Structures are given as C-alpha cells and as structure tokens.
C-alpha cells in the first residue's frame, strides 16, 4: 500500500457510508493540492481488497475527487470502472461520481463505450452511468437512448447478455422509441432472455401491449431445468432452512469426487453451459437470499 500523508491519510480512518452520502471533504482539509494522492488511493489495489481494514478509503477518495474533477480525474475513474467492473459494489460508488462529472466525462465515456477494446461487462457499467445520468439530468435522455440503440444495433459486438442488459436500460428509460432496434435484436436471436424476458415481455414492460399474446415462459427454468425442481422442493422452507439446505447441497457436491476436472470437462462447460450475469447487489443492499439482512452481513461473507 502507498504511504499517504495527512490529510489524505485521514480517509483511512473513515468507515462505511451509503452510496447517497457525500461527506464534507474540504472541511477535512482536502483540496486541489491532494489530487495526485487521492487518485493513487482511488486506484490502490491493496486498499481495494475486500479483506483490507481500510476498504472504504478508495471510495472516500473518489468522492473527494468529484469536486475537483478535470480531464485526468474523469478518464482515470472511467478506466477504473472498466477495470473493476466485476467488483461487487465498487462501481456503484464510481457511478454517481462520474454522473456528477458531466459534461466533462461525456466524450471520454462515449469513446470507451464504443471502443472495441472495452469488453461487454465494462460497457455495461458505462451504460449504467448514462442511464443514471438521465435521472438527474433529463436533457440527456434522447442522446443516451440513441447511444444505447447504436450499441444494440452493432452486429459485430453481438453479446446476447450485453444486449439483454441494454434492453433493460431502455426499459428503465421507458424508451418506446427504441422498439425497432429491440425487435431487430430479437429477430437476429441476439438477446439473452434471462435479462428482460422475450420480445413480448419487453413490449409489455414498455407499455406497447397490455398483455402477452402467448403463455408466459419460464426462461430461467428452461435454461436451468434443475432450478424448477429446486424451487418446488424448497417452496415450503423458511429462509434459514433454504440457506441451510443450499449449504448442504454445495458441501455434498464438493465431496462427491476427489478428482480434478479434466481439460475436456472445462471445454464442455465453456461451450455448453449458459452464461448468467451476476445480479448487481451492493454491500448495503438487502441480501438477495431473502433473509432480510444486508448483503455484507449475509451471503457476501
């Protein structure tokens, strides 16, 4: 870990804070003279480790940088959200900071979004920044919808899961005007139904039809048939009993064989098993297991 001098080192003593909380960092003596140290802290791999006791310091550094944003800060944080796109909650703290840096961060964000060097999980995070931007600055809505549609129309980057995420963003934006791009993506079979369902589901969500013309489909059950049996078997269990049962299943599966999977097994898994994007759950969000606890106090650990 880099050595940090005061007052930046004081951020190492700060604890957890909610995504919507913004502390008064200037009152701590932090100003433009500390921007390089703050950038170093925001990108500090040691501090970004979830096991580090100063885990929250990079998030505070990002918030402190927001008020002194310039091109270097904006581009550094954009590259950071792409690099750390798979982290459980770190991007969630970057997104509102980048939204506040608009329009300064607009051009470099679009450049990275449309770059062939940015993989789809990184582009998904950048799209989330744009979607969040429209909530605080509605004037951007039309431009954002156009940009998302360009991504959806890009046949050379047809990742089914990414296209499904783009359609979810368009639903969030209530973008009825994007329906032709959406229909074209479904027509070329370039959308993962696990994201927002099939075309009828999307049209219902956008208010373009009142109800489905065909019976609802269990897309999750179709992709993972064992989940249908699992749901049925566990439907009468309490939340604690479900967690205990899942724990026993995982332990049992691990103990079934002592043999390491072969390369042939790995190849089969990569080509035959469907890919499911992890649900974005922040540390302070309710745990998706339904326990009622915060995610960090439950299944995250």
């Amino acid at each position: 870990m880099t050595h940090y001098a005061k007052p930046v080192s004081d951020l190492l003593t700060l604890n957890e804070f909610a995504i919507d909380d913004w502390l008064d960092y200037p009152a701590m003596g932090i100003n433009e003279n500390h921007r390089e140290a703050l950038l170093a802290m925001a990108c500090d791999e040691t501090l970004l480790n979830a096991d580090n006791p100063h885990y929250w310091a990079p998030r505070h550094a990002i918030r402190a940088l927001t008020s002194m944003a310039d091109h270097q800060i904006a581009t550094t944080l954009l590259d950071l959200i792409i690099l750390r796109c798979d982290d459980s909650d770190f991007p969630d703290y970057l997104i509102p900071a980048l939204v506040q840096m608009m329009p300064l961060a607009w051009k470099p964000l679009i450049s990275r979004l449309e770059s062939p060097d940015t993989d789809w999980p990184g582009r998904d995070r950048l799209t989330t920044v744009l979607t969040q931007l429209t909530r605080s600055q509605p004037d951007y809505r039309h431009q954002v919808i156009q940009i998302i549609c360009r991504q959806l129309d890009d046949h050379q980057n047809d990742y089914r899961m990414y296209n499904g995420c783009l359609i979810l963003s368009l639903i969030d934006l209530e973008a009825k005007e994007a329906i032709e791009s959406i229909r074209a993506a479904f027509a070329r079979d370039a959308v993962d139904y696990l994201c927002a369902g099939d075309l009828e589901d999307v049209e219902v969500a956008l208010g373009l039809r009142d109800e489905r013309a065909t019976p609802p489909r269990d897309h999750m059950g179709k992709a993972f048939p064992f989940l249908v049996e699992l749901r049925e078997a566990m439907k009468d269990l309490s939340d604690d009993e479900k967690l205990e049962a899942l724990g026993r299943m995982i332990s049992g599966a691990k103990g079934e064989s002592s043999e390491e999977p072969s390369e042939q097994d790995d190849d089969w898994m990569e080509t035959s098993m469907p890919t499911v994007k992890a649900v974005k759950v922040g540390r302070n969000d309710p745990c998706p297991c339904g326990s009622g606890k915060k995610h960090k106090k439950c299944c995250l650990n």
Side-chain angles (χ1 to χ4, degrees):
M1 182 180 73
T2 304
H3 174 73
Y4 300 100
K6 279 185 169 292
V8 174
S9 62
D10 291 337
L11 299 181
L12 297 169
T13 68
L14 298 180
N15 296 319
E16 173 183 352
F17 65 103
I19 291 175
D20 294 333
D21 288 346
W22 292 80
L23 303 186
D24 188 357
Y25 299 103
M28 298 173 60
I30 293 175
N31 56 46
E32 292 275 355
N33 297 325
H34 306 113
R35 60 193 307 281
E36 295 302 326
L38 291 168
L39 281 170
M41 181 176 282
C43 302
D44 193 319
E45 290 290 334
T46 303
L47 294 176
L48 287 168
N49 188 318
D51 296 326
N52 193 294
H54 308 302
Y55 174 81
W56 291 97
R59 292 153 178 77
H60 284 289
I62 289 166
R63 292 297 168 90
L65 284 165
T66 304
S67 63
M68 57 187 80
D70 59 14
H71 181 76
Q72 181 191 8
I73 291 173
T75 55
T76 299
L77 296 189
L78 285 167
D79 290 338
L80 188 58
I81 198 172
I82 294 170
L83 179 66
R84 311 289 302 195
C85 62
D86 291 328
D87 284 16
S88 61
D89 76 330
F90 186 60
D92 295 336
Y93 287 86
L94 274 163
I95 288 169
L98 288 166
V99 166
Q100 288 210 18
M101 292 182 190
M102 296 297 177
L104 181 67
W106 178 266
K107 286 186 178 180
L109 186 155
I110 303 306
S111 174
R112 284 159 176 75
L113 179 64
E114 298 183 340
S115 169
D117 296 328
T118 305
D119 60 11
W120 79 259
R123 280 187 275 151
D124 180 41
R125 292 295 193 178
L126 296 177
T127 302
T128 303
V129 175
L130 294 178
T131 306
Q132 295 272 356
L133 173 64
T134 64
R135 295 175 183 171
S136 58
Q137 302 186 50
D139 289 347
Y140 278 98
R141 181 182 177 277
H142 180 67
Q143 287 176 274
V144 168
I145 291 172
Q146 285 186 320
I147 290 166
I148 294 176
C149 285
R150 277 208 307 269
Q151 290 286 299
L152 195 57
D153 293 337
D154 186 356
H155 295 209
Q156 294 185 355
N157 292 304
D158 254 348
Y159 298 100
R160 290 169 55 87
M161 185 61 72
Y162 178 50
N163 286 342
C165 293
L166 291 173
I167 290 172
L168 279 176
S169 294
L170 292 170
I171 291 173
D172 189 36
L173 292 166
E174 300 180 356
K176 294 181 181 180
E177 60 267 45
I179 191 59
E180 293 309 317
S181 290
I182 294 171
R183 286 171 177 162
F186 276 105
R188 64 179 188 271
D189 193 25
V191 181
D192 194 316
Y193 290 0
L194 294 179
C195 292
D198 59 18
L199 179 57
E200 287 189 50
D201 291 324
V202 174
E203 289 177 341
V204 170
L206 287 173
L208 294 172
R209 63 164 70 222
D210 293 330
E211 59 185 17
R212 293 183 58 92
T214 60
R217 303 178 185 179
D218 184 0
H219 302 297
M220 182 66 77
K222 184 178 180 181
F224 304 100
F226 73 92
L227 288 179
V228 177
E229 299 178 17
L230 185 61
R231 282 192 303 231
E232 182 63 25
M234 299 177 70
K235 67 180 182 180
D236 295 326
L237 299 182
S238 68
D239 291 334
D240 288 339
E241 288 171 332
K242 288 177 184 176
L243 288 173
E244 183 180 351
L246 287 170
R248 287 200 303 268
M249 289 171 59
I250 293 169
S251 299
K254 288 180 179 177
E256 283 179 357
S257 173
S258 60
E259 297 180 4
E260 292 293 325
S262 66
E263 291 185 8
Q264 184 177 2
D265 292 335
D266 289 341
D267 292 341
W268 182 87
M269 289 286 285
E270 290 178 5
T271 57
S272 302
M273 294 296 287
T275 300
V276 182
K277 182 186 176 187
V279 177
K280 300 174 186 176
V281 183
R283 288 168 59 85
N284 294 309
D285 292 337
C287 191
C289 74
S291 67
K293 302 177 183 177
K294 287 187 177 182
H295 186 39
K296 67 181 179 182
K297 298 290 187 182
C298 193
C299 295
L300 181 63
N301 297 317

